[in-house]
Amino acid sequence: MNDCLFCRIMAGEIPSTKVYEDDFCYAFRDINPQAPVHVLVISKQHVGNLTEAAALPDAALAGILRAIPEIAAREGLGNGYRVVSNCGPDACQSVQHLHFHLLGGRPMADQMA
Ligand code: AMP
């Protein structure tokens, strides 16, 4: 997937500020942060979004979900955080590679959108 922005970031072809990596995911700071902490947690294996994530091995899905609270703890988000995964055009997904926005460091609005 040479034309995928997030695959190219993982390959080191495009710079990123890495905060975490394991066998299943890579996490880095969003270039346009919407909160004091805004980390993108992306799957190591390329899939377009959650709709396609059933193609991932169960271990990868579980690994990503386990990594998110680990990253939140490392980022000092003991008071809470929000996780968002935009999926498809109605959600304004702009990068077609499975990713989770991890947002924290301030109180979030009490509505989702
Ligand atoms: P989404 O709109 O849910 O697909 O989210 C894509 C996110 O990728 C946006 O929040 C962008 O700010 C972020 N983004 C795009 N390019 C980069 C980059 N080169 N480094 C870090 N984050 C990026």
Side-chain angles (χ1 to χ4, degrees), residues 5-6 9 28-32 40 86 92-95 99 101:
L5 173 65
F6 286 174
I9 284 175
F28 57 103
R29 300 204 186 281
D30 197 292
I31 203 168
N32 182 24
L40 296 172
N86 295 320
C92 301
Q93 181 182 4
S94 62
V95 179
H99 57 282
H101 297 258

Side-chain angles (χ1 to χ4, degrees), residues 11-35:
E13 296 171 15
I14 294 171
S16 66
T17 305
K18 173 178 151 181
V19 298
Y20 178 89
E21 183 174 16
D22 65 21
D23 287 346
F24 304 114
C25 65
Y26 180 88
F28 57 103
R29 300 204 186 281
D30 197 292
I31 203 168
N32 182 24
Q34 303 300 306

Side-chain angles (χ1 to χ4, degrees), residues 36-76:
V37 174
H38 187 170
V39 170
L40 296 172
V41 184
I42 72 176
S43 57
K44 281 239 165 129
Q45 184 176 327
H46 180 92
V47 288
N49 56 33
L50 267 179
T51 304
E52 299 178 11
L56 293 176
D58 287 353
L61 291 167
I64 295 166
L65 284 181
R66 287 201 178 96
I68 290 171
E70 169 65 25
I71 298 164
R74 292 184 186 196
E75 293 289 323

